[in-house]
Amino acid sequence: MARTFDKTIYQSFKEVTDPSNVAPRNAALREKLAEKQLDAFLIPRTDAHRGESLPAAEQRLAYVTGFTGSAGLAIVAKKKAALFVDGRYTLQAPDQTDTNLVEIQQLPEAKLSDWMGKNLSKGARVGFDPWLHTPNEIRDLTTKLGGHAELVPGDNLVDMIWVDRPLPPKEKVELLGTNRAGVSAKDKLKTLQETLRAANADATVLTMPESICWLFNIRGRDVPNTPVVHAFAVVHKDKKPALFVDPDKLGDSEKQRLAETIDLHSPEDFEPALADLGKAKKRVWIDPATCPAAVASLLTDEGANLYEKTDPVSLPKAIKNAGELAGMREAHRLDAIAMARFLSWFDRHAPGGQLSEIDIATALEAFRREEPTLVDISFDTISGSGSNGAIVHYRVNTKSNRTLVPGELMLVDSGGQYLSGTTDITRTLFTGAASTQQKHHFTLVLKGMIAISQVNFPPKTTGAQIDVLARHALWQKGLNYNHGTGHGVGAFLSVHEGPAGIAPRYHVALEAGMILSNEPGYYLEGEYGIRIENLVHVIKSNVAEDYLAFETLTLAPIDTRLIAKDMLTNLEREWLNAYHARVLSDIGPHLETEDKAWLEKATAEI
Amino acid sequence: MARTFDKTIYQSFKEVTDPSNVAPRNAALREKLAEKQLDAFLIPRTDAHRGESLPAAEQRLAYVTGFTGSAGLAIVAKKKAALFVDGRYTLQAPDQTDTNLVEIQQLPEAKLSDWMGKNLSKGARVGFDPWLHTPNEIRDLTTKLGGHAELVPGDNLVDMIWVDRPLPPKEKVELLGTNRAGVSAKDKLKTLQETLRAANADATVLTMPESICWLFNIRGRDVPNTPVVHAFAVVHKDKKPALFVDPDKLGDSEKQRLAETIDLHSPEDFEPALADLGKAKKRVWIDPATCPAAVASLLTDEGANLYEKTDPVSLPKAIKNAGELAGMREAHRLDAIAMARFLSWFDRHAPGGQLSEIDIATALEAFRREEPTLVDISFDTISGSGSNGAIVHYRVNTKSNRTLVPGELMLVDSGGQYLSGTTDITRTLFTGAASTQQKHHFTLVLKGMIAISQVNFPPKTTGAQIDVLARHALWQKGLNYNHGTGHGVGAFLSVHEGPAGIAPRYHVALEAGMILSNEPGYYLEGEYGIRIENLVHVIKSNVAEDYLAFETLTLAPIDTRLIAKDMLTNLEREWLNAYHARVLSDIGPHLETEDKAWLEKATAEI
């Protein structure tokens, strides 16, 4: 029996913005340029917290250019304007902005500094909001400009012209008990203070919501997809830390409980607190890659001494404690039930040839939302059929939506934010009869995924070192994928987190407790995309003392009809069969008859 | 019939130096400290050219401390002295120096800056010879000292006390014709000048003999093992380059031919030439990791602007041209003939249980020296039987020399400098009946070596990325080796060269034409060492356009009696059989009956 879904619950099909707004807004901005004696102004797609999701009040780039992609930067000069976007957005950007007024520049080939060299006269003054750029970004741009133009920090010109700007989020803060957080905020603070003392730092300024939420065992709903509170914090090596957060976000009971370990302040108190650290000549640990340049200058202007290094919360947050792990396991169990029901539904309905990408994404979200502890999906679902699956960061919208034809592959990358934890899973779906080529490519990707699942490695091994194991089978056939193999995943936090991952750029040692994605793929342009993604958890290996290995957290069947069985080694086949047996025994009991029968078939030995 | 060898030809068993020299030499040095108002002086084991082999006149560390190892640094303070050596030399160093006067510190755990913090008073003046330290080293040490002591460049105090100091080498320079060098010096210069112009540099100062020799197509005999000329060079973007070399090293015909493309100068002219670049306010490319700090300060003192980057000759030198490749192939053919004769000899004599490590190394060198184009061995042979094989950088001497007992493994790592090119090969030898454990470990190492031999990889892949392929089989059993998988190898130049290699620290993309070693190993402490090393050459792969792969240059049998055949995959077995077939067909025709029969057996299919 067919089920129906309320498609309005699916929030992810972005409204197409109106390009006719671009002219008046650029004009208003240029008036401000003249007023402030500036020649140009920078508008990055970010806020002071640098998260993937932005509150509506921080969507300055979309307000000025119409462009709603997840990354980009505009520069509006007196006569000209440009929008820099990466390869994901070369189609979307011109569609959303007014290309008569804004030229689209493709990163990484196009460089902002080159554009400024060409389009601004020598000695030009370029304004920027120091809360929206990091010290590293400003230094890098200054170096590249080589004296051609001057970067001038100041108030944000967009905020001055923004009519009906949405209010900042005021969602309530939730406190995690130690049962969920695993370790009390008090104990986490103690460890952080030891780290500060060992680095000879008097304090650190935290500006990343994930770091603050993890440290203080709080969560929020300030942005979609990621359950964070937007706030700032100062942690001193030897006294109570200060949290700067809108008091409206805190209930009385939360205030009282937080005040036991934290000095609560309004956000307005943040700048004076930085100045105080400066006046006291403190040595302050900041992360120059993530903190706003404003933080660094407020500190140093008053005499603070900066110690620049990766956010000190980043590494301890990545190493999950027992409570977090238990939650992540529970979240994966809940997510696997939804996935099994979804895949079973897909197998029943896909052969009819009527399902669109939006139908499929909507159905998956509906299955997830049947679980009451789901807070949100963890990112906009990637639901790409046929050739759309080959676009690595594809997000379906009403214009791109395709109907899945039997014989086509379908790539679905999705995840959930449950109260217990965060999930991220990709499966390559299929209906019809798979071609030899489809099976060949799918099996090469699977071999890579299994290689990571099965590897044992010594201490101090980095994700950069093991990345090739996921690519080796593809490389031997002259194939590859143009993205990393894995990223860190937060525990009821951001679905993408540092500092560890599996890709050539990750030089942080993997440690027991880290949770990473394992997601090799293959993309045949114009034809299909294949990706298989499980989350894995770094555990102690049994091959030798100190050796590490991965335990797979994700529990959903991998379509065995897409496997060329003779391409698998015995060890690979054994891994797959054992994995499927675990999926069946862990998830089967939670399914009703029809779905359970489907799962038994889907997890049958090969 | 047993053959006999003149063991005196084997130069590598270092004389044990006399520790009783340490006291008077330290005392003399301390007089100089007082004279120069210094509190300590640094004595690194290096010269201004930073090669692995040092001329006798540059063996200051050995002169002062007695220590003759290939890496180390001493600091002599007013009352105390310390010698910093790495794990290779923790046994040798105390044996060679006077430990009552010099404390041995083990790197990397012990830090020079920590020692200086503890043993020198605040504000101490520490002298150093700026020709023997790089700008990076001096900056790094200055940062680590954090103001505790001052580093004072000046004349070398050791040279002032060195009685009977040997003269600098004056060996004749040899010119390579374009047939051997592959590309004329004129064309290489043109390319380098284009590189300088692209980097907006007016000139570069070359101080590494390998770079200078490669660029100007010259070779020399100034040090053992590496056929280089010690010299300096300045290459201008738009005029004739200057070579600063002892005129006694040049014959008349060489002078005349070199003068066509190069301005020849005496070494005394080098410092004024640097000052001239400074006075002309030139932008000069230097390599802060290899050039002497003296070069940087002579330039900047007079107003030059430094552009700091890896030596611009390093990368083009690593990418071998057709002439160099042809030479390297020829050198490998010659070396393989010597290796086959040696291995055949070993198989006849080892079962008697009478061969010592020195016997074996001497025999191998004698076989190599029968080839008249052998100039020298390319490094001191590693000849380690049984437990000595487990010492990764083991060099036999008359005290450590062991006799190989049947049933033991024997690790022999060696190479030759032929006029045509440079070789480096390791084979693990054996006599008796191999144990299951020996076969298991040998086969795991072999699997890693074959994995590198067989890999195909896309452009821009680095050695850091593929290193794990050589370790994977070992890791799966909880085993590993504590060294890189491969290093670059010069063409009739240094047996170790940058900038590419196969290890987590090598972030330079592999390019067609590079020659690297492929040498995984396994070391069971107190029992045995296993290493299998071939040189490989990066070639275009046939799996996809732009993909790369390795072609193996080394042609010597791998002992199939040590292989656990059921541990090999079909692809691995096929690789080994094809390799052995190639060894037989390429080398067999050059062997006499007895050795040929041996080779046929040694390369039989498995």
Side-chain angles (χ1 to χ4, degrees):
Chain A
M1 191 184 69
R3 300 174 57 130
T4 57
F5 300 98
D6 175 8
K7 292 184 186 180
T8 61
I9 65 167
Y10 197 69
Q11 305 296 322
S12 307
F13 312 114
K14 292 281 186 294
E15 292 297 313
V16 174
T17 53
D18 184 353
S20 71
N21 286 326
V22 176
R25 289 172 187 176
N26 273 5
L29 205 57
R30 284 177 175 132
E31 277 179 32
K32 291 291 163 195
L33 285 179
E35 208 173 280
K36 301 282 177 186
Q37 293 177 298
L38 293 171
D39 297 291
F41 191 74
L42 300 179
I43 308 155
R45 192 263 181 207
T46 191
D47 64 6
H49 306 287
R50 305 192 78 80
E52 285 176 56
S53 298
L54 284 187
E58 303 284 341
Q59 300 274 11
R60 295 179 186 87
L61 183 64
Y63 181 77
V64 173
T65 66
F67 171 66
T68 60
S70 67
L73 177 142
I75 179 166
V76 177
K78 285 178 180 168
K79 308 260 174 203
K80 285 186 149 190
L83 170 61
F84 290 77
V85 299
D86 62 48
R88 290 176 284 177
Y89 296 117
T90 38
L91 295 175
Q92 181 180 331
D95 204 47
Q96 292 190 309
T97 195
D98 180 342
T99 49
N100 292 319
L101 300 174
V102 179
E103 42 174 316
I104 309 294
Q105 298 280 316
Q106 190 178 331
L107 298 167
E109 296 78 15
K111 312 262 182 245
L112 175 60
S113 51
D114 290 349
W115 192 93
M116 290 165 82
K118 267 180 226 141
N119 294 286
L120 301 178
S121 48
K122 171 93 184 158
R125 289 164 46 84
V126 179
F128 71 97
D129 178 348
W131 289 96
L132 304 187
H133 300 263
T134 66
N136 280 358
E137 285 171 351
I138 296 302
R139 276 175 214 154
D140 182 53
L141 186 55
T142 303
T143 304
K144 284 185 180 145
L145 285 170
H148 182 77
E150 186 194 351
L151 298 177
V152 183
D155 291 336
N156 199 307
L157 305 193
V158 180
D159 299 357
M160 298 177 188
I161 64 157
W162 195 337
V163 188
D164 297 330
R165 183 176 171 197
L167 291 172
K170 295 225 180 230
E171 302 297 322
K172 285 293 181 213
V173 167
E174 164 194 12
L175 267 64
L176 303 191
T178 307
N179 60 327
R180 283 171 68 200
V183 173
S184 69
K186 212 171 150 184
D187 286 345
K188 288 180 182 174
L189 269 167
K190 214 173 131 189
T191 307
L192 176 57
Q193 288 175 328
E194 278 162 23
T195 305
L196 294 178
R197 283 191 292 264
N200 205 16
D202 297 307
T204 184
V205 180
L206 302 177
T207 61
M208 301 259 282
E210 293 86 350
S211 293
I212 294 167
C213 288
W214 180 83
L215 181 65
F216 295 133
N217 290 341
I218 57 178
R219 295 295 187 272
R221 306 288 183 269
D222 282 350
V223 291
N225 306 137
T226 309
V228 287
V229 189
H230 278 191
F232 297 105
V234 174
V235 180
H236 305 273
K237 71 172 177 188
D238 50 10
K239 58 178 184 183
K240 243 182 173 181
L243 178 65
F244 303 87
V245 62
D246 186 335
D248 291 353
K249 294 183 185 175
L250 297 170
D252 288 341
S253 135
E254 283 75 16
K255 268 185 196 155
Q256 209 181 328
R257 283 166 62 200
L258 284 175
E260 288 168 21
T261 41
I262 306 172
D263 277 337
L264 294 171
H265 297 273
S266 285
E268 304 84 68
D269 296 341
F270 183 49
E271 295 194 24
L274 297 176
D276 287 347
L277 284 170
K279 282 175 204 147
K281 312 293 175 210
K282 296 294 187 189
R283 190 161 188 259
V284 185
W285 182 330
I286 63 155
D287 181 347
T290 61
C291 94
V295 168
S297 46
L298 284 162
L299 287 166
T300 51
D301 286 354
E302 299 287 349
N305 176 9
L306 297 184
Y307 174 65
E308 301 195 358
K309 210 182 160 185
T310 306
D311 176 342
V313 175
S314 168
L315 185 62
K317 172 165 63 66
I319 300 168
K320 273 67 182 174
N321 62 49
E324 289 168 330
L325 272 172
M328 288 294 273
R329 281 189 218 283
E330 169 66 6
H332 279 84
R333 196 181 60 83
L334 298 173
D335 207 55
I337 294 167
M339 280 299 296
R341 293 176 63 202
F342 162 71
L343 291 170
S344 160
W345 167 88
F346 175 85
D347 260 8
R348 289 193 302 280
H349 294 86
Q354 300 294 316
L355 294 180
S356 74
E357 294 166 351
I358 292 182
D359 292 332
I360 291 166
T362 309
L364 174 53
E365 189 169 340
F367 281 114
R368 281 207 171 93
R369 288 199 184 273
E370 288 191 30
E371 164 54 43
T373 63
L374 183 95
V375 173
D376 198 353
I377 54 173
S378 57
F379 56 95
D380 293 345
T381 298
I382 297 175
S383 173
S385 69
S387 56
N388 281 344
I391 303 167
V392 173
H393 291 272
Y394 177 68
R395 293 298 194 282
V396 56
N397 61 40
T398 45
K399 282 167 82 175
S400 70
N401 194 23
R402 281 179 92 253
T403 295
L404 180 71
V405 176
E408 284 182 344
L409 293 172
M410 170 84 210
L411 191 152
V412 181
D413 187 350
S414 67
Q417 290 285 4
Y418 299 85
L419 289 173
S420 45
T422 306
T423 70
D424 184 2
I425 174 172
T426 308
R427 287 294 180 269
T428 304
L429 280 46
F430 188 76
T431 185
S435 72
T436 307
Q437 192 193 40
Q438 286 169 332
K439 285 184 175 182
H440 179 73
H441 289 151
F442 184 87
T443 311
L444 292 174
V445 173
L446 178 63
K447 286 169 83 78
M449 207 277 283
I450 295 177
I452 296 290
S453 308
Q454 292 194 309
V455 67
N456 297 284
F457 52 92
K460 298 193 184 163
T461 300
T462 67
Q465 284 177 264
I466 64 169
D467 172 76
V468 71
L469 298 175
R471 300 180 197 272
H472 189 219
L474 286 160
W475 279 9
Q476 293 303 77
K477 303 296 177 187
L479 309 175
N480 199 8
Y481 50 95
N482 192 15
H483 57 75
T485 298
H487 53 81
V489 178
F492 192 39
L493 273 176
S494 180
V495 75
H496 298 121
E497 70 168 20
I502 306 174
R505 70 177 176 282
Y506 289 112
H507 298 292
V508 170
L510 300 176
E511 293 189 52
M514 287 178 170
I515 292 176
L516 304 163
S517 70
N518 169 16
E519 49 178 318
Y522 175 66
Y523 310 90
L524 186 58
E525 204 188 323
E527 296 285 331
Y528 50 75
I530 294 166
R531 188 160 64 246
I532 311 173
E533 176 187 25
N534 281 344
L535 297 197
V536 294
H537 156 224
V538 182
I539 56 169
K540 289 219 159 244
S541 161
N542 57 13
V543 297
E545 209 186 340
D546 289 345
Y547 265 58
L548 299 167
F550 294 116
E551 175 196 48
T552 297
L553 294 176
T554 305
L555 292 169
I558 293 162
D559 198 335
T560 54
R561 297 166 299 186
L562 288 172
I563 298 173
K565 293 181 188 62
D566 59 345
M567 286 171 61
L568 294 185
T569 65
N570 286 340
L571 282 175
E572 288 165 345
R573 195 161 28 232
E574 283 162 22
W575 181 88
L576 188 71
N577 287 334
Y579 176 69
H580 275 154
R582 211 181 125 210
V583 172
L584 181 63
S585 73
D586 287 10
I587 306 307
H590 303 285
L591 300 178
E592 287 172 33
T593 324
E594 187 180 37
D595 294 333
K596 193 174 178 182
W598 174 86
L599 188 65
E600 277 165 5
K601 217 171 138 190
T603 57
E605 274 207 4
I606 63 161
Chain B
M1 190 184 69
R3 300 174 59 129
T4 56
F5 300 99
D6 174 8
K7 293 185 187 180
T8 61
I9 65 166
Y10 197 69
Q11 305 297 321
S12 306
F13 311 112
K14 292 279 186 293
E15 291 299 312
V16 175
T17 53
D18 184 354
S20 71
N21 286 326
V22 177
R25 289 172 188 177
N26 273 5
L29 205 56
R30 285 178 174 131
E31 277 178 33
K32 291 290 162 195
L33 284 180
E35 209 173 279
K36 299 282 175 185
Q37 293 176 298
L38 293 172
D39 296 290
F41 191 75
L42 300 179
I43 308 154
R45 192 263 181 208
T46 191
D47 64 5
H49 304 288
R50 305 192 78 79
E52 285 175 56
S53 298
L54 284 186
E58 303 284 340
Q59 299 274 10
R60 294 179 186 88
L61 183 65
Y63 182 76
V64 173
T65 67
F67 171 67
T68 60
S70 66
L73 177 143
I75 178 167
V76 177
K78 285 178 179 167
K79 307 260 174 206
K80 285 185 148 190
L83 170 60
F84 289 78
V85 299
D86 62 48
R88 289 176 285 176
Y89 296 117
T90 38
L91 295 176
Q92 181 180 332
D95 205 46
Q96 292 189 309
T97 195
D98 180 341
T99 50
N100 292 318
L101 299 174
V102 179
E103 41 175 316
I104 309 294
Q105 298 279 318
Q106 191 177 332
L107 298 167
E109 297 77 15
K111 311 265 182 242
L112 175 61
S113 51
D114 290 350
W115 191 93
M116 289 165 82
K118 266 180 226 142
N119 293 285
L120 300 178
S121 48
K122 171 94 185 157
R125 288 164 48 83
V126 179
F128 71 96
D129 178 347
W131 289 96
L132 304 187
H133 300 262
T134 66
N136 280 358
E137 285 170 351
I138 296 302
R139 277 176 214 153
D140 182 53
L141 185 55
T142 303
T143 305
K144 284 186 180 143
L145 285 170
H148 181 78
E150 186 193 351
L151 298 178
V152 184
D155 289 336
N156 199 306
L157 306 193
V158 180
D159 299 357
M160 299 177 188
I161 65 156
W162 195 338
V163 188
D164 297 330
R165 183 176 171 199
L167 290 173
K170 296 225 180 229
E171 302 299 322
K172 286 291 180 213
V173 167
E174 164 194 14
L175 267 64
L176 303 191
T178 307
N179 59 328
R180 282 172 69 199
V183 174
S184 70
K186 212 172 151 183
D187 287 345
K188 289 181 182 175
L189 269 166
K190 216 174 131 189
T191 306
L192 175 57
Q193 288 175 327
E194 277 161 23
T195 304
L196 294 178
R197 283 192 292 265
N200 206 14
D202 297 307
T204 184
V205 180
L206 302 177
T207 61
M208 301 259 283
E210 293 86 348
S211 294
I212 294 167
C213 288
W214 181 84
L215 181 66
F216 296 132
N217 291 340
I218 57 178
R219 294 296 187 271
R221 306 289 183 267
D222 282 349
V223 290
N225 306 137
T226 310
V228 288
V229 188
H230 278 192
F232 297 104
V234 174
V235 179
H236 305 271
K237 71 172 177 187
D238 48 12
K239 58 179 186 183
K240 243 183 171 180
L243 178 66
F244 303 88
V245 61
D246 187 334
D248 292 352
K249 295 183 185 176
L250 297 169
D252 288 341
S253 134
E254 283 75 16
K255 268 186 195 154
Q256 210 181 328
R257 284 166 61 201
L258 284 174
E260 288 168 22
T261 42
I262 306 172
D263 276 338
L264 294 171
H265 298 272
S266 284
E268 304 83 67
D269 296 340
F270 184 48
E271 295 195 23
L274 296 176
D276 286 348
L277 283 169
K279 282 174 203 149
K281 311 294 174 210
K282 295 295 188 190
R283 189 161 188 259
V284 184
W285 181 330
I286 63 155
D287 182 346
T290 61
C291 94
V295 169
S297 46
L298 284 162
L299 287 166
T300 51
D301 286 354
E302 298 287 348
N305 176 9
L306 297 185
Y307 173 65
E308 301 195 357
K309 210 182 160 187
T310 306
D311 175 342
V313 175
S314 168
L315 185 62
K317 172 165 64 67
I319 300 168
K320 273 67 182 173
N321 61 49
E324 289 168 330
L325 273 172
M328 288 294 272
R329 281 189 218 282
E330 169 67 5
H332 278 83
R333 196 182 60 84
L334 298 173
D335 206 54
I337 294 167
M339 279 299 296
R341 294 176 63 201
F342 162 70
L343 291 170
S344 158
W345 167 88
F346 175 85
D347 260 8
R348 288 194 302 279
H349 294 86
Q354 300 294 316
L355 295 180
S356 74
E357 293 166 351
I358 292 181
D359 292 331
I360 291 165
T362 309
L364 174 53
E365 188 169 341
F367 281 115
R368 280 208 170 92
R369 288 200 184 271
E370 288 190 30
E371 165 54 43
T373 63
L374 184 95
V375 173
D376 197 352
I377 54 173
S378 57
F379 55 96
D380 293 346
T381 298
I382 296 176
S383 172
S385 68
S387 56
N388 281 344
I391 303 167
V392 173
H393 291 273
Y394 177 69
R395 292 298 194 283
V396 56
N397 61 41
T398 45
K399 280 167 81 175
S400 70
N401 193 22
R402 282 178 92 253
T403 295
L404 179 71
V405 176
E408 284 182 345
L409 293 171
M410 171 84 209
L411 191 151
V412 181
D413 186 351
S414 68
Q417 290 286 4
Y418 299 84
L419 289 174
S420 45
T422 306
T423 70
D424 184 1
I425 173 173
T426 308
R427 286 294 181 268
T428 303
L429 280 47
F430 188 75
T431 185
S435 71
T436 307
Q437 191 194 39
Q438 286 169 333
K439 284 184 176 182
H440 179 73
H441 289 151
F442 184 86
T443 311
L444 292 174
V445 173
L446 178 62
K447 286 169 81 80
M449 207 278 281
I450 296 177
I452 296 291
S453 308
Q454 291 192 309
V455 67
N456 297 284
F457 51 93
K460 298 193 185 162
T461 299
T462 67
Q465 284 176 264
I466 64 169
D467 172 78
V468 71
L469 297 174
R471 301 179 197 273
H472 189 219
L474 286 161
W475 280 9
Q476 293 304 78
K477 303 296 177 186
L479 309 174
N480 199 7
Y481 49 95
N482 192 16
H483 58 73
T485 298
H487 53 82
V489 177
F492 191 40
L493 273 176
S494 180
V495 75
H496 298 121
E497 71 169 18
I502 306 174
R505 70 178 176 281
Y506 289 112
H507 299 292
V508 170
L510 300 175
E511 293 189 53
M514 287 179 171
I515 291 175
L516 304 163
S517 70
N518 169 16
E519 48 177 318
Y522 174 68
Y523 309 90
L524 186 59
E525 205 188 323
E527 296 285 329
Y528 50 76
I530 294 165
R531 187 159 66 246
I532 312 173
E533 175 188 25
N534 280 345
L535 297 196
V536 293
H537 156 226
V538 182
I539 56 170
K540 289 218 161 246
S541 161
N542 56 14
V543 297
E545 209 186 340
D546 289 345
Y547 266 58
L548 299 168
F550 295 116
E551 176 196 50
T552 298
L553 295 176
T554 306
L555 292 170
I558 293 162
D559 197 335
T560 54
R561 297 165 299 186
L562 288 172
I563 297 174
K565 294 181 188 63
D566 57 347
M567 287 171 60
L568 294 185
T569 65
N570 287 338
L571 281 174
E572 288 165 344
R573 195 159 29 229
E574 283 162 21
W575 180 89
L576 187 70
N577 286 334
Y579 176 69
H580 275 153
R582 210 180 125 211
V583 172
L584 181 63
S585 75
D586 287 11
I587 305 307
H590 303 285
L591 299 177
E592 288 172 32
T593 324
E594 185 180 37
D595 294 332
K596 193 173 178 184
W598 173 87
L599 187 65
E600 277 164 6
K601 217 171 139 190
T603 57
E605 274 207 3
I606 63 161

